[in-house]
Amino acid sequence: MYRYWKSSLTALTLFACAHSSSTQAEQWLHYRANEGASAFADLRQINSSNVKNLALAWQFRTGDSEHMAEHMSRTSTQVTPILLPKAAGGHLAFCTPFNRVIALDPKTGHERWSFDPKVNLSGTRPMRCRAVSYWQHPEASEQDKHCGRRLYVATHDRRIVAIDAKQGQRCKSFGDNGEIALYNKALGYQPDYVNNSSAAVVVGNNIVVGSAIIDFAESHAPQGTVVAFDAFTGEQRWSFDPIPKHNDHPMAKDWPRVKGKTPQHFAGGANAWAPLSVDSERDLVFIPTSSPSPDFYGGMRPGDNRYANSVVALKGSTGEVVWHQQIVHHDLWDYDAPAAPVLVDIEKDGKQRAVVIQVTKQGLVFTFDRETGEPVFGQEERPVPQSKMAGEYSSPTQPFPLKPRPLIDVNLDPKNDAFGMLWFDRKACEKRLASLHSEGLFTPLSEQRTLMLPGSLGGANWGGASFWPRRNLLFVNLNTAPFEGQLKPIDPSNPGDHIVAHGSEMKVTMKDSPYMVITDTVTSPLGAPCTKPPWGKMVAIDMGSGDVRWESPLGSIHDMAPFPVPFDINWGTPNLGGSMTTAGGLTFIAATMDKRFRAYDSLSGKVLWTAKLPVDATAVPMSYELDGKQYVILAAGGHKMFNRGTGDYILAYALPD
């Protein structure tokens, strides 16, 4: 569950074979470069020696800031464009937060066409769209004019719409006039309660889609069913239910009955809101599942609650479970699997090994064998703090990989680890940290104010990780600032408003449970996080040894000051978004609360280039080469959670001619 970061620092100063200069190869055909989500561009023109010369080549504005101004405050621009093959028009294609699909000339940024599915804008949840998806019919010809090459957009109001990739028109042979509904009106439908946040993925001739569900608002939330449809006709092929509906479900033993009822009657969620990943060669689709509902109190859902908080490998053709690994048992912290599983081949012990890498909100990195799910670096169950709440069923242990080490230090000593700008500021933080209950990672919430480190923002989040195959390096951005949480009994006669936000504090009445949850940032009187910086960082991991190669702060707090500061203060900031790595030895990332776009030296962690942005950018960058020139593309549009302004920019950077 996302939390607002309400300017709490106000007082502080591969499909990447792009070696031809005349052809447009399939360089970035998926949301994160390739279907395995590695976010790697095999391009070397821009490198560590010349990146300092990188400059804006063109920019495009979608027009949303002008035409959708009244709705922009609830948008979150998270889109990464994809580059289509020439046979599909050769467009740079992307979606706006309102699910409008736009095709640009990738060389100039000029608009070629746009398509508006006209989504239902009711509700209050952030509008977002991370990517469009591409599919080509096996028999599509070069002259095909009948939707043999398609784009799919999964909309905020729970539809999948198929569009001809060349012309931007509906593919009427798909579903009902080019679209299928992902909801059942007979069961009740709230377009703002369940929506789509990540793109559908294509495996074979099936298109697979998850869902985004409010998992903290009530016990009996909708169930997070993953569904596959025929990519040509829209006919449903299979579905995967993460929560048991009957006693012969493989995971029924992990969801004991409550008052004789199966869990579908008292729990929900376990959905896949984060991006999915695909291994077409093995006919596998990898599902990162989220928390069961409600996510901060589990008295109504005893057991480990598998397949929630898991990586689940399914057969793409049938939906059959091949293997699964749970990364959090009986989640009480909203530690859902937040990012696309990264499918890469790593070199370990002198051999190439196909793996699945899952970054997590808790700052752990799990690595599994892609075919069997076996932990590659070993894994163990470690004892964790136990809940003292009546009726709770906290797990006695939680899974930890033996390597890499935890990327966030969660063991705080208030006296030595408190931070403040001035002596009184630090003293206030020392007192506040000392007042919070904490037994380390996986401390359950209680009626006592409890330290949440990491908070539900992460650690890692949906931006995920990028990978450099030649150097065997994984790059991940993390949040390290502290939060606090507390459970309070609900007065049945006067439950109060359901969700109340006041500054950075949020109160949520978890319906059909005994408690409301209250969360807040842990900041000093001057607005700084009460722990030492960095409050956001980049980490590089050697996936051969499992060792951390380097850590660097991510972000400057200068832009949050109440007055202009002419220099960067690189203490890191809360961040949402992700990185892209190139064969030129660079890792590009925006994601921060400082209107900056950065390029890190992938080997050393040194920042080699920084560009000022018109607004914050919380999207994963992408790159391609066209007619001998490499471009780096970034969407900049702000994020509702950060409350720092919005925009509608697509920015392209290149080296000067």
Side-chain angles (χ1 to χ4, degrees):
M1 176 178 63
Y2 284 156
R3 300 286 181 268
Y4 284 93
W5 191 279
K6 290 277 192 178
S7 299
S8 59
L9 298 176
T10 54
L12 285 178
T13 1
L14 198 13
F15 283 120
C17 304
H19 303 297
S20 169
S21 61
S22 59
T23 62
Q24 184 171 304
E26 294 178 355
Q27 300 179 60
W28 197 287
L29 196 54
H30 303 266
Y31 164 60
R32 294 177 53 80
N34 49 50
E35 63 179 14
S38 69
F40 174 72
D42 193 8
L43 302 171
R44 296 173 174 81
Q45 184 181 94
I46 303 168
N47 55 55
S48 56
S49 63
N50 62 22
V51 68
K52 62 181 179 293
N53 299 319
L54 202 60
L56 188 67
W58 54 258
Q59 77 172 26
F60 173 80
R61 300 198 67 175
T62 69
D64 284 346
S65 291
E66 178 182 358
H67 302 298
M68 305 294 288
E70 63 182 299
H71 300 287
M72 287 298 288
S73 63
R74 55 182 286 234
T75 60
S76 176
T77 300
Q78 303 176 5
V79 69
T80 300
I82 64 173
L83 183 67
L84 302 185
K86 278 195 171 181
H91 316 305
L92 189 67
F94 67 98
C95 49
T96 74
F98 304 102
N99 299 122
R100 190 160 58 97
V101 181
I102 300 175
L104 303 181
D105 183 321
K107 196 171 182 179
T108 65
H110 293 155
E111 183 176 321
R112 289 176 172 172
W113 57 256
S114 67
F115 172 86
D116 189 353
K118 300 189 182 302
V119 297
N120 185 332
L121 299 178
S122 64
T124 58
R125 297 195 74 190
M127 305 288 296
R128 59 201 162 190
C129 184
R130 294 193 176 117
V132 293
S133 310
Y134 175 74
W135 175 76
Q136 176 178 312
H137 193 284
E139 299 178 1
S141 67
E142 290 297 316
Q143 293 78 33
D144 180 80
K145 297 182 180 178
H146 303 287
C147 283
R149 294 174 174 84
R150 300 181 176 185
L151 294 174
Y152 300 90
V153 59
T155 66
H156 177 81
D157 56 0
R158 293 289 286 159
R159 293 176 287 150
I160 295 181
V161 184
I163 309 162
D164 178 79
K166 283 188 175 181
Q167 305 297 328
Q169 299 168 344
R170 281 179 181 266
C171 295
K172 296 185 178 180
S173 61
F174 181 79
D176 181 7
N177 192 35
E179 66 179 63
I180 53 179
L182 299 174
Y183 55 85
N184 186 336
K185 288 184 178 180
L187 298 177
Y189 170 56
Q190 300 175 42
D192 192 51
Y193 197 81
V194 182
N195 58 39
N196 293 319
S197 58
S198 295
V201 295
V202 174
V203 53
N205 291 319
N206 286 340
I207 184 163
V208 184
V209 64
S211 60
I213 293 171
I214 299 177
D215 53 11
F216 56 87
E218 62 179 277
S219 173
H220 191 199
Q223 185 159 323
T225 305
V226 176
V227 188
F229 301 92
D230 184 290
F232 186 71
T233 66
E235 180 182 353
Q236 183 171 326
R237 291 303 186 199
W238 54 258
S239 64
F240 164 70
D241 292 315
I243 299 176
K245 289 185 176 180
H246 43 72
N247 289 338
D248 57 356
H249 187 284
M251 295 298 108
K253 61 181 173 53
D254 287 300
W255 295 80
R257 285 173 170 260
V258 175
K259 296 181 180 179
K261 293 184 177 180
T262 55
Q264 64 168 325
H265 294 100
F266 56 78
N271 50 298
W273 63 265
L276 315 183
S277 304
V278 169
D279 183 336
S280 291
E281 182 180 346
R282 292 176 172 86
D283 185 30
L284 295 174
V285 57
F286 294 87
I287 314 296
T289 61
S290 72
S291 314
S293 62
D295 48 10
F296 292 106
Y297 177 76
M300 295 78 64
R301 47 175 175 85
D304 280 353
N305 304 148
R306 304 168 197 254
Y307 298 107
N309 302 89
S310 298
V311 178
V312 184
L314 304 177
K315 275 284 184 185
S317 53
T318 65
E320 173 190 0
V321 175
V322 177
W323 60 261
H324 61 96
Q325 284 280 2
Q326 191 172 51
I327 59 175
V328 179
H329 308 320
H330 191 79
D331 187 12
L332 300 173
W333 308 270
D334 195 28
Y335 283 166
D336 36 26
V342 178
L343 314 183
V344 292
D345 293 343
I346 65 171
E347 184 175 337
K348 186 177 185 298
D349 301 326
K351 298 179 181 179
Q352 290 288 311
R353 189 162 183 182
V355 301
V356 179
I357 303 172
Q358 182 65 61
V359 298
T360 68
K361 287 185 176 181
Q362 56 268 38
L364 305 176
V365 178
F366 291 86
T367 309
F368 305 114
D369 183 277
R370 203 179 308 168
E371 294 186 345
T372 67
E374 175 193 0
V376 171
F377 289 100
Q379 188 170 304
E380 65 183 11
E381 293 286 330
R382 297 178 186 170
V384 293
Q386 293 299 287
S387 175
K388 298 176 178 61
M389 301 299 293
E392 185 54 272
Y393 302 86
S394 52
S395 174
T397 64
Q398 292 291 348
F400 286 80
L402 301 186
K403 279 194 168 185
R405 63 166 172 79
L407 302 182
I408 297 176
D409 185 2
V410 300
N411 298 307
L412 295 181
D413 176 358
K415 189 170 185 62
N416 294 319
D417 296 326
F419 176 84
M421 293 296 294
L422 300 172
W423 69 268
F424 69 88
D425 206 36
R426 186 186 178 285
K427 279 293 183 184
C429 274
E430 181 181 330
K431 182 177 180 180
R432 185 165 181 185
L433 288 174
S435 72
L436 300 177
H437 174 61
S438 177
E439 300 176 61
L441 187 62
F442 295 115
T443 301
L445 297 191
S446 68
E447 293 188 48
Q448 181 181 356
R449 290 187 303 117
T450 302
L451 179 68
M452 300 170 66
L453 183 62
S456 59
L457 187 69
N461 210 292
W462 58 264
S466 58
F467 184 75
W468 188 4
R470 179 168 169 248
R471 296 287 187 167
N472 221 28
L473 291 175
L474 184 80
F475 305 92
V476 58
N477 54 298
L478 301 114
N479 294 287
T480 64
F483 286 72
E484 67 173 59
Q486 183 179 16
L487 297 177
K488 275 198 169 184
I490 298 171
D491 180 355
S493 64
N494 184 26
D497 293 334
H498 186 30
I499 300 176
V500 178
H502 180 70
S504 58
E505 182 186 77
M506 180 176 287
K507 296 181 180 180
V508 180
T509 300
M510 297 184 287
K511 291 181 178 178
D512 301 318
S513 88
Y515 299 101
M516 71 168 60
V517 62
I518 305 171
T519 64
D520 201 354
T521 56
V522 181
T523 54
S524 74
L526 292 179
C530 275
T531 53
K532 295 175 182 177
W535 300 311
K537 64 181 180 180
M538 283 292 297
V539 178
I541 302 168
D542 184 324
M543 292 306 297
S545 65
D547 296 328
V548 171
R549 177 74 171 263
W550 54 258
E551 294 188 11
S552 291
L554 174 59
S556 166
I557 56 97
H558 75 278
D559 199 45
M560 302 178 196
F563 50 84
V565 177
F567 54 88
D568 288 357
I569 305 175
N570 293 308
W571 289 350
T573 75
N575 56 91
L576 284 172
S579 62
M580 168 195 70
T581 297
T582 73
L586 299 169
T587 295
F588 290 88
I589 187 167
T592 51
M593 297 175 65
D594 60 3
K595 299 178 185 175
R596 293 291 188 269
F597 187 24
R598 294 174 171 84
Y600 286 80
D601 184 307
S602 296
L603 292 178
S604 70
K606 180 181 179 182
V607 175
L608 300 179
W609 171 82
T610 303
K612 186 176 181 180
L613 300 172
V615 292
D616 293 333
T618 56
V620 177
M622 59 90 71
S623 186
Y624 54 87
E625 185 175 290
L626 188 62
D627 294 336
K629 183 182 284 288
Q630 182 183 350
Y631 297 86
V632 174
I633 308 296
L634 176 70
H639 195 301
K640 172 185 165 91
M641 185 190 315
F642 287 166
N643 196 31
R644 283 174 40 82
T646 59
D648 57 6
Y649 297 86
I650 302 293
L651 306 168
Y653 297 87
L655 296 173
D657 293 330

